[in-house]
Amino acid sequence: MLHRSRNLFGAVAAFLFATAIVYAPRIAVACSVCTSGREEENQMAFLLTTVFMSVLPLAVIGTLGFLLWRRIQSIEAESEAAPPPGASSSPNR
Amino acid sequence: MSAGTHSPGMRLVAEERQPRAVSNGVLGMCLFIISEIMFFAGMVSAFTIIRASAPIWPPPDQPRLPIEATAFNSAVLLLSGALVILAQRRFSRDRSTARVPLIAAIALATFFVAFQGWEWVSLLSQGLTMTSSTLGAFFYLIVGTHALHALAAIGMLFSVWRRFERGWLQPSQLATAAVFWYFVVGAWPVIYWRVYL
């Protein structure tokens, strides 16, 4: 019962938060960094560099992770294709 | 004595060592490079915003940056990176054939840094200093930081070359130094594009 009421509370809180974001976008305008520039070029520079700095670590770490995963896959494929140790090629031993 | 004669309490298992995906050195260097990428990205982002905020850019009373000469120097740096790739490939096949590209890469890398230093002397004499303008401040900060990284990477490559000549060089050691040099080479076109152009 307590678990259900917690889930319900979380769902209601998430709904109210999403509603506030949709119907009150002016809250974002309070960011002094994003809106301090009076000129469009300055605002665009702020926006683009913010997006750049946010996406860059995800891209770099994701790329490194992907390359490592590919390397592990190739090593596992090689070890599966290689004959087991001690396997004799001569039929009469 | 085979494994089957041991008591049940002592189980000797022939551990099959799986090769590592990357060496510890390369992995550690990659993690360090990630932090350095963010460091350079922060500086370039700050420079981008300052540049966009300026009413006139570049500042009219400051000397122009040597775009053409630096383009030539950039080509030298890229060639150095290609030679390190070649040295790595040759080292994995026939170690003795890696000597020439490795030495050439170090020589070109040293030329790059020396040429940068010569450019700096010229710009300083023309009045572009760290305190003369925001252009000067960011130029010396960003390009100087890159030069420090380049010097450190050259030191690593030189150390690799010394080990190579003594026959002590391991592939993982060469790979670790090479990865750092690839970062230095790869970061430069971005810096050239944002700072010089």
Side-chain angles (χ1 to χ4, degrees):
Chain A
M1 190 70 175
L2 183 62
H3 187 66
R4 261 192 206 172
S5 63
R6 274 188 189 164
N7 283 344
L8 183 61
F9 177 76
V12 169
F15 175 74
L16 289 175
F17 180 72
T19 306
I21 294 292
V22 170
Y23 289 103
R26 290 184 62 82
I27 294 173
V29 182
C31 174
S32 60
V33 173
C34 300
T35 59
S36 63
R38 287 167 294 176
E39 298 164 1
E40 191 176 327
E41 193 176 335
N42 192 19
Q43 281 191 348
M44 189 56 64
F46 266 118
L47 183 62
L48 289 177
T49 53
T50 301
V51 171
F52 172 65
M53 292 296 288
S54 300
V55 170
L56 185 62
L58 300 174
V60 171
I61 294 171
T63 301
L64 178 64
F66 173 72
L67 291 175
L68 284 174
W69 174 77
R70 247 186 28 174
R71 177 96 176 105
I72 291 170
Q73 294 292 98
S74 68
I75 288 173
E76 285 180 351
E78 281 174 14
S79 63
E80 280 175 9
S88 172
S89 59
S90 170
N92 300 318
R93 205 162 183 168
Chain B
M1 183 187 278
S2 68
T5 60
H6 284 276
S7 64
M10 289 174 58
R11 199 161 59 97
L12 291 177
V13 178
E15 289 183 356
E16 198 175 328
R17 289 195 68 181
Q18 287 224 342
R20 288 178 181 164
V22 291
S23 65
N24 290 338
V26 171
L27 182 61
M29 184 58 74
C30 287
L31 295 176
F32 171 67
I33 285 171
I34 289 174
S35 67
E36 295 302 290
I37 287 174
M38 295 311 299
F39 178 43
F40 276 101
M43 287 194 294
V44 170
S45 295
F47 178 71
T48 301
I49 291 172
I50 292 294
R51 189 167 160 172
S53 306
I56 302 173
W57 192 270
D61 56 340
Q62 295 288 276
R64 294 291 170 263
L65 298 177
I67 295 175
E68 295 81 12
T70 308
F72 165 75
N73 210 22
S74 303
V76 169
L77 185 68
L78 292 173
L79 180 59
S80 172
L83 286 170
V84 171
I85 293 175
L86 181 62
Q88 258 196 298
R89 287 189 178 170
R90 285 190 177 182
F91 189 78
S92 63
R93 286 190 226 122
D94 182 5
R95 296 191 170 198
S96 60
T97 60
R99 176 180 285 105
V100 170
L102 184 58
I103 293 174
I106 295 171
L108 289 177
T110 307
F111 174 83
F112 171 81
V113 176
F115 194 86
Q116 282 283 311
W118 177 78
E119 277 188 359
W120 278 30
V121 170
S122 173
L123 287 170
L124 284 168
S125 65
Q126 293 175 45
L128 183 70
T129 66
M130 281 208 77
T131 55
S132 63
S133 63
T134 51
L135 171 63
F138 274 100
F139 173 80
Y140 291 112
L141 174 66
I142 296 174
V143 176
T145 305
H146 182 266
L148 282 176
H149 283 76
L151 282 173
I154 291 171
M156 284 187 70
L157 286 174
F158 184 76
S159 171
V160 159
W161 173 69
R162 283 187 61 184
R163 295 186 75 91
F164 174 84
E165 293 296 339
R166 293 176 184 178
W168 300 343
L169 184 63
Q170 299 295 320
S172 61
Q173 294 167 340
L174 175 60
T176 302
V179 164
F180 190 31
W181 187 242
Y182 298 151
F183 159 69
V184 171
V185 172
W188 179 251
V190 178
I191 293 171
Y192 178 73
W193 168 52
R194 294 307 304 158
V195 176
Y196 282 81
L197 300 180

